[in-house]
Amino acid sequence: MTRLIAMLLAAFLVTAACGPSASPSQDASAPIRVVTTSTVFADLVRNTAGDRVSVTSLVPPGADVHTYQATPDDLRAASDAQLIVMNGLGLDDWLEETLVSASSDAPVVKLAEALDGIALLPGEEPGEENPHLWMDVAYAGRYVARIADAMKDADPGHAAEIDASASAYAARLAELDGWVREQIGTIPAGNRKLVMFHDALPYFARAYGLTVVGVAVEAPGQDPSAGDIAALIDAIREAGVKAIFSEDQFPTALVDQIARETGAIVVADLYDDSLGDPPVTSYEAVIRWDVEKLVEALR
Ligand SMILES: [Zn+2]
Protein backbone atom coordinates (compact mmCIF):
# COMPACT_ATOMS: atom_id res chain seq x y z
CA MET A 1 0.00 0.00 0.00
CA THR A 2 2.70 2.45 1.03
CA ARG A 3 4.70 1.40 -2.02
CA LEU A 4 1.73 2.08 -4.31
CA ILE A 5 1.35 5.60 -2.93
CA ALA A 6 5.07 6.21 -3.37
CA MET A 7 4.83 5.04 -7.01
CA LEU A 8 1.79 7.19 -7.71
CA LEU A 9 3.49 10.15 -6.08
CA ALA A 10 6.64 9.59 -8.15
CA ALA A 11 4.56 9.35 -11.32
CA PHE A 12 2.76 12.55 -10.40
CA LEU A 13 6.00 14.42 -9.76
CA VAL A 14 7.44 13.31 -13.11
CA THR A 15 4.27 14.40 -14.91
CA ALA A 16 4.27 17.73 -13.09
CA ALA A 17 7.90 18.36 -13.96
CA CYS A 18 7.40 17.51 -17.64
CA GLY A 19 4.02 19.17 -18.18
CA PRO A 20 3.46 22.74 -19.35
CA SER A 21 3.06 23.72 -15.75
CA ALA A 22 5.67 26.44 -15.28
CA SER A 23 3.47 29.35 -14.24
CA PRO A 24 3.97 32.69 -16.02
CA SER A 25 5.37 34.18 -12.81
CA GLN A 26 8.25 31.69 -12.94
CA ASP A 27 9.05 32.33 -16.59
CA ALA A 28 11.69 35.06 -16.60
CA SER A 29 10.84 36.16 -20.15
CA ALA A 30 7.08 36.55 -19.59
CA PRO A 31 5.83 40.12 -19.13
CA ILE A 32 4.80 41.12 -15.60
CA ARG A 33 1.04 41.10 -15.10
CA VAL A 34 -0.03 44.50 -13.75
CA VAL A 35 -3.54 45.58 -12.79
CA THR A 36 -4.38 49.28 -12.52
CA THR A 37 -7.58 51.01 -11.49
CA SER A 38 -7.80 53.45 -14.42
CA THR A 39 -6.92 53.52 -18.11
CA VAL A 40 -4.68 56.54 -17.48
CA PHE A 41 -2.49 54.64 -15.02
CA ALA A 42 -2.48 51.62 -17.35
CA ASP A 43 -1.04 53.87 -20.07
CA LEU A 44 1.60 55.27 -17.69
CA VAL A 45 2.61 51.72 -16.75
CA ARG A 46 2.77 50.59 -20.39
CA ASN A 47 4.96 53.51 -21.40
CA THR A 48 7.19 53.17 -18.34
CA ALA A 49 7.80 49.45 -18.59
CA GLY A 50 7.56 48.94 -22.35
CA ASP A 51 7.59 45.29 -23.43
CA ARG A 52 8.09 44.04 -19.89
CA VAL A 53 4.47 44.43 -18.90
CA SER A 54 0.98 43.19 -19.63
CA VAL A 55 -1.48 45.72 -18.17
CA THR A 56 -5.18 45.48 -17.38
CA SER A 57 -7.22 48.50 -16.26
CA LEU A 58 -10.17 47.48 -14.11
CA VAL A 59 -12.18 50.63 -14.93
CA PRO A 60 -12.91 50.62 -18.67
CA PRO A 61 -12.47 53.80 -20.77
CA GLY A 62 -15.35 56.19 -20.20
CA ALA A 63 -16.44 54.73 -16.84
CA ASP A 64 -16.03 56.70 -13.61
CA VAL A 65 -13.08 55.67 -11.43
CA HIS A 66 -14.51 57.51 -8.38
CA THR A 67 -17.70 55.46 -8.17
CA TYR A 68 -16.66 52.22 -9.89
CA GLN A 69 -17.91 48.83 -8.68
CA ALA A 70 -15.60 45.90 -9.30
CA THR A 71 -16.95 42.93 -11.30
CA PRO A 72 -16.18 39.20 -10.97
CA ASP A 73 -13.75 39.56 -13.92
CA ASP A 74 -11.95 42.27 -11.97
CA LEU A 75 -11.53 39.89 -9.01
CA ARG A 76 -9.98 37.31 -11.32
CA ALA A 77 -7.61 39.88 -12.84
CA ALA A 78 -6.63 41.17 -9.40
CA SER A 79 -5.95 37.71 -8.01
CA ASP A 80 -3.78 36.90 -11.04
CA ALA A 81 -1.79 40.18 -10.94
CA GLN A 82 1.86 40.40 -9.90
CA LEU A 83 1.67 44.15 -9.23
CA ILE A 84 -1.27 46.42 -8.44
CA VAL A 85 -1.12 50.12 -9.35
CA MET A 86 -3.65 52.60 -7.99
CA ASN A 87 -3.72 56.32 -7.25
CA GLY A 88 -4.82 56.46 -3.62
CA LEU A 89 -5.94 59.67 -1.85
CA GLY A 90 -9.56 58.53 -2.12
CA LEU A 91 -9.76 58.30 -5.93
CA ASP A 92 -9.92 54.52 -6.12
CA ASP A 93 -10.23 53.23 -2.55
CA TRP A 94 -12.81 50.67 -3.69
CA LEU A 95 -9.84 48.64 -4.92
CA GLU A 96 -8.81 47.77 -1.35
CA GLU A 97 -12.01 45.76 -0.90
CA THR A 98 -11.56 44.17 -4.33
CA LEU A 99 -8.07 43.00 -3.37
CA VAL A 100 -9.33 41.46 -0.14
CA SER A 101 -12.13 39.66 -2.02
CA ALA A 102 -9.61 38.48 -4.61
CA SER A 103 -7.18 37.25 -1.90
CA SER A 104 -4.47 39.12 -3.78
CA ASP A 105 -1.05 39.24 -2.18
CA ALA A 106 0.59 41.25 -4.98
CA PRO A 107 2.43 44.43 -3.95
CA VAL A 108 0.26 47.57 -4.20
CA VAL A 109 1.68 50.90 -5.38
CA LYS A 110 -0.29 54.05 -4.49
CA LEU A 111 1.06 56.53 -7.00
CA ALA A 112 -0.14 59.75 -5.37
CA GLU A 113 0.58 58.97 -1.73
CA ALA A 114 3.66 59.97 0.28
CA LEU A 115 5.46 61.75 -2.57
CA ASP A 116 8.19 64.00 -1.18
CA GLY A 117 8.12 67.72 -1.90
CA ILE A 118 4.52 67.90 -3.16
CA ALA A 119 2.04 70.19 -1.43
CA LEU A 120 -1.31 68.41 -1.68
CA LEU A 121 -4.45 70.45 -2.29
CA PRO A 122 -7.69 70.03 -0.31
CA GLY A 123 -10.23 67.40 -1.33
CA GLU A 124 -14.01 67.35 -1.10
CA GLU A 125 -14.24 66.82 2.68
CA PRO A 126 -12.24 68.51 5.44
CA GLY A 127 -9.06 66.55 6.05
CA GLU A 128 -9.13 64.94 2.59
CA GLU A 129 -6.75 65.68 -0.25
CA ASN A 130 -7.47 66.09 -3.93
CA PRO A 131 -6.27 62.96 -5.73
CA HIS A 132 -5.80 64.26 -9.33
CA LEU A 133 -2.04 64.85 -9.17
CA TRP A 134 -1.31 63.28 -12.56
CA MET A 135 -2.94 66.18 -14.43
CA ASP A 136 0.20 68.19 -13.57
CA VAL A 137 2.58 66.64 -16.09
CA ALA A 138 5.58 67.05 -13.76
CA TYR A 139 3.70 65.01 -11.14
CA ALA A 140 2.92 62.37 -13.76
CA GLY A 141 6.72 62.18 -14.09
CA ARG A 142 6.85 61.34 -10.36
CA TYR A 143 4.29 58.58 -10.97
CA VAL A 144 6.55 57.21 -13.71
CA ALA A 145 9.56 57.07 -11.37
CA ARG A 146 7.48 55.21 -8.82
CA ILE A 147 6.13 52.75 -11.41
CA ALA A 148 9.69 52.11 -12.65
CA ASP A 149 10.86 51.28 -9.10
CA ALA A 150 7.94 48.90 -8.53
CA MET A 151 8.49 47.24 -11.91
CA LYS A 152 12.17 46.69 -11.18
CA ASP A 153 11.27 45.10 -7.83
CA ALA A 154 8.82 42.82 -9.64
CA ASP A 155 11.19 42.06 -12.52
CA PRO A 156 14.80 42.60 -11.35
CA GLY A 157 16.24 40.65 -14.28
CA HIS A 158 15.06 43.36 -16.69
CA ALA A 159 15.96 46.45 -14.64
CA ALA A 160 18.11 47.98 -17.38
CA GLU A 161 15.34 47.66 -19.99
CA ILE A 162 12.81 49.18 -17.62
CA ASP A 163 15.18 52.06 -16.77
CA ALA A 164 15.75 52.81 -20.46
CA SER A 165 12.05 52.76 -21.26
CA ALA A 166 11.14 54.85 -18.19
CA SER A 167 13.74 57.52 -18.85
CA ALA A 168 12.73 57.87 -22.52
CA TYR A 169 9.13 58.32 -21.39
CA ALA A 170 10.09 60.78 -18.63
CA ALA A 171 11.94 62.87 -21.22
CA ARG A 172 8.82 62.96 -23.43
CA LEU A 173 6.73 64.07 -20.46
CA ALA A 174 9.21 66.83 -19.59
CA GLU A 175 8.89 68.12 -23.13
CA LEU A 176 5.08 67.89 -22.91
CA ASP A 177 5.18 69.91 -19.67
CA GLY A 178 7.03 72.69 -21.47
CA TRP A 179 4.54 72.62 -24.33
CA VAL A 180 1.59 72.97 -21.92
CA ARG A 181 3.22 76.02 -20.32
CA GLU A 182 3.77 77.59 -23.74
CA GLN A 183 0.19 76.93 -24.85
CA ILE A 184 -1.47 78.19 -21.66
CA GLY A 185 0.76 81.27 -22.01
CA THR A 186 -1.15 82.16 -25.19
CA ILE A 187 -4.39 82.67 -23.19
CA PRO A 188 -4.78 86.34 -22.15
CA ALA A 189 -3.91 86.58 -18.43
CA GLY A 190 -7.40 87.85 -17.48
CA ASN A 191 -9.06 84.83 -19.12
CA ARG A 192 -7.07 82.12 -17.35
CA LYS A 193 -9.95 80.98 -15.14
CA LEU A 194 -12.39 78.15 -15.47
CA VAL A 195 -15.15 76.14 -13.86
CA MET A 196 -15.00 72.35 -13.82
CA PHE A 197 -17.73 69.71 -13.55
CA HIS A 198 -15.69 67.94 -10.84
CA ASP A 199 -12.49 69.03 -9.18
CA ALA A 200 -10.03 67.26 -11.48
CA LEU A 201 -7.73 70.13 -12.44
CA PRO A 202 -6.49 71.87 -9.27
CA TYR A 203 -2.90 70.59 -9.68
CA PHE A 204 -2.99 71.31 -13.40
CA ALA A 205 -4.25 74.83 -12.70
CA ARG A 206 -1.62 75.45 -10.01
CA ALA A 207 1.18 74.24 -12.27
CA TYR A 208 0.20 76.16 -15.38
CA GLY A 209 -1.17 79.40 -13.95
CA LEU A 210 -4.94 78.98 -14.23
CA THR A 211 -7.59 79.62 -11.55
CA VAL A 212 -10.38 77.14 -10.87
CA VAL A 213 -13.24 79.48 -9.89
CA GLY A 214 -15.57 76.65 -8.90
CA VAL A 215 -16.79 73.10 -9.46
CA ALA A 216 -20.32 71.93 -10.26
CA VAL A 217 -20.26 68.82 -8.04
CA GLU A 218 -18.28 68.14 -4.87
CA ALA A 219 -17.54 64.68 -6.22
CA PRO A 220 -18.93 62.50 -9.03
CA GLY A 221 -22.22 60.97 -7.92
CA GLN A 222 -23.02 63.83 -5.52
CA ASP A 223 -25.64 66.36 -6.60
CA PRO A 224 -25.19 69.98 -5.51
CA SER A 225 -27.93 71.81 -3.59
CA ALA A 226 -29.87 74.70 -5.16
CA GLY A 227 -27.82 76.99 -2.92
CA ASP A 228 -24.53 75.55 -4.20
CA ILE A 229 -25.64 76.08 -7.80
CA ALA A 230 -26.73 79.67 -7.11
CA ALA A 231 -23.38 80.43 -5.43
CA LEU A 232 -21.48 78.97 -8.39
CA ILE A 233 -23.53 81.03 -10.84
CA ASP A 234 -22.70 84.18 -8.84
CA ALA A 235 -19.00 83.29 -8.81
CA ILE A 236 -18.97 82.70 -12.58
CA ARG A 237 -20.63 86.06 -13.24
CA GLU A 238 -18.39 87.91 -10.82
CA ALA A 239 -15.15 86.45 -12.19
CA GLY A 240 -16.31 86.65 -15.81
CA VAL A 241 -15.53 82.96 -16.43
CA LYS A 242 -15.83 82.22 -20.14
CA ALA A 243 -16.15 78.44 -20.08
CA ILE A 244 -17.28 75.49 -17.98
CA PHE A 245 -15.45 72.24 -18.66
CA SER A 246 -16.81 68.76 -18.16
CA GLU A 247 -15.64 65.30 -19.02
CA ASP A 248 -16.85 62.90 -21.62
CA GLN A 249 -17.95 60.34 -18.98
CA PHE A 250 -20.24 62.67 -17.01
CA PRO A 251 -23.80 63.94 -17.72
CA THR A 252 -23.99 67.55 -18.91
CA ALA A 253 -27.49 68.63 -17.76
CA LEU A 254 -26.13 70.50 -14.75
CA VAL A 255 -23.35 72.36 -16.55
CA ASP A 256 -25.73 73.16 -19.41
CA GLN A 257 -28.12 74.74 -16.90
CA ILE A 258 -25.34 76.79 -15.29
CA ALA A 259 -24.13 77.88 -18.73
CA ARG A 260 -27.61 79.05 -19.73
CA GLU A 261 -27.81 81.24 -16.65
CA THR A 262 -24.34 82.74 -16.96
CA GLY A 263 -23.66 82.97 -20.67
CA ALA A 264 -20.52 80.84 -20.25
CA ILE A 265 -19.92 78.17 -22.88
CA VAL A 266 -19.73 74.44 -22.10
CA VAL A 267 -16.83 72.30 -23.29
CA ALA A 268 -18.06 68.83 -22.42
CA ASP A 269 -15.30 66.63 -23.73
CA LEU A 270 -12.26 67.05 -21.52
CA TYR A 271 -10.44 63.94 -20.31
CA ASP A 272 -8.70 63.50 -16.96
CA ASP A 273 -9.74 60.38 -15.04
CA SER A 274 -10.12 58.24 -18.15
CA LEU A 275 -8.74 57.78 -21.63
CA GLY A 276 -11.27 57.93 -24.46
CA ASP A 277 -11.80 57.07 -28.11
CA PRO A 278 -9.09 57.87 -30.70
CA PRO A 279 -7.22 60.15 -30.72
CA VAL A 280 -7.43 60.39 -26.91
CA THR A 281 -5.97 56.97 -26.21
CA SER A 282 -2.92 57.86 -24.13
CA TYR A 283 -2.04 60.11 -21.20
CA GLU A 284 0.00 62.35 -23.50
CA ALA A 285 -2.97 62.61 -25.88
CA VAL A 286 -5.26 63.52 -22.96
CA ILE A 287 -3.01 66.41 -21.97
CA ARG A 288 -2.67 67.69 -25.55
CA TRP A 289 -6.42 67.37 -26.17
CA ASP A 290 -7.38 69.19 -22.97
CA VAL A 291 -4.87 71.98 -23.49
CA GLU A 292 -6.12 72.56 -27.02
CA LYS A 293 -9.73 72.70 -25.76
CA LEU A 294 -8.79 75.10 -22.93
CA VAL A 295 -6.85 77.43 -25.22
CA GLU A 296 -9.61 77.43 -27.84
CA ALA A 297 -12.34 78.25 -25.27
CA LEU A 298 -10.46 80.79 -23.15
CA ARG A 299 -8.35 82.67 -25.67
ZN1 LIG B 1 -11.79 62.66 -10.88
Side-chain angles (χ1 to χ4, degrees), residues 113-149:
E113 294 192 1
L115 286 171
D116 289 339
I118 287 181
L120 294 171
L121 292 166
E124 56 185 276
E125 301 284 346
E128 290 183 1
E129 279 128 354
N130 190 293
H132 303 86
L133 272 69
W134 68 92
M135 293 305 290
D136 172 341
V137 181
Y139 290 172
R142 301 288 300 273
Y143 281 24
V144 166
R146 195 163 251 189
I147 292 165
D149 286 343

Side-chain angles (χ1 to χ4, degrees), residues 64-66 91 130-132 134 198-200 220 247 249-250 272-273:
D64 176 24
V65 67
H66 292 267
L91 180 84
N130 190 293
H132 303 86
W134 68 92
H198 90 296
D199 202 9
E247 295 88 339
Q249 73 266 28
F250 295 123
D272 38 52
D273 294 349

Side-chain angles (χ1 to χ4, degrees), residues 68-274:
Y68 186 71
Q69 302 216 319
T71 66
D73 277 352
D74 295 337
L75 292 185
R76 275 190 287 277
S79 79
D80 193 41
Q82 292 165 281
L83 176 66
I84 309 279
V85 175
M86 64 189 288
N87 188 74
L89 297 184
L91 180 84
D92 43 15
D93 284 356
W94 49 265
L95 181 66
E96 315 264 15
E97 211 175 295
T98 308
L99 294 175
V100 172
S101 310
S103 317
S104 164
D105 55 5
V108 178
V109 182
K110 294 187 178 182
L111 296 171
E113 294 192 1
L115 286 171
D116 289 339
I118 287 181
L120 294 171
L121 292 166
E124 56 185 276
E125 301 284 346
E128 290 183 1
E129 279 128 354
N130 190 293
H132 303 86
L133 272 69
W134 68 92
M135 293 305 290
D136 172 341
V137 181
Y139 290 172
R142 301 288 300 273
Y143 281 24
V144 166
R146 195 163 251 189
I147 292 165
D149 286 343
M151 279 300 301
K152 287 188 284 181
D153 286 344
D155 191 11
H158 295 87
E161 261 173 272
I162 294 164
D163 271 335
S165 176
S167 59
Y169 187 42
R172 287 216 308 275
L173 292 185
E175 204 172 304
L176 181 63
D177 182 64
W179 177 83
V180 176
R181 251 165 244 292
E182 232 172 73
Q183 290 298 307
I184 299 297
T186 67
I187 302 171
N191 290 356
R192 289 179 203 164
K193 48 202 168 188
L194 61 146
V195 162
M196 287 295 297
F197 175 75
H198 90 296
D199 202 9
L201 293 190
Y203 298 102
F204 177 96
R206 183 172 72 182
Y208 304 115
L210 293 150
T211 303
V212 180
V213 169
V215 294
V217 299
E218 283 291 309
Q222 291 180 19
D223 290 327
S225 68
D228 294 338
I229 298 173
L232 181 59
I233 287 170
D234 285 347
I236 291 171
R237 286 184 180 141
E238 197 175 321
V241 173
K242 292 180 70 176
I244 306 169
F245 297 87
S246 182
E247 295 88 339
D248 210 49
Q249 73 266 28
F250 295 123
T252 60
L254 177 60
V255 287
D256 286 340
Q257 179 204 337
I258 295 167
R260 274 196 303 276
E261 298 199 30
T262 57
I265 60 164
V266 172
V267 178
D269 58 350
L270 285 200
Y271 294 84
D272 38 52
D273 294 349
S274 175

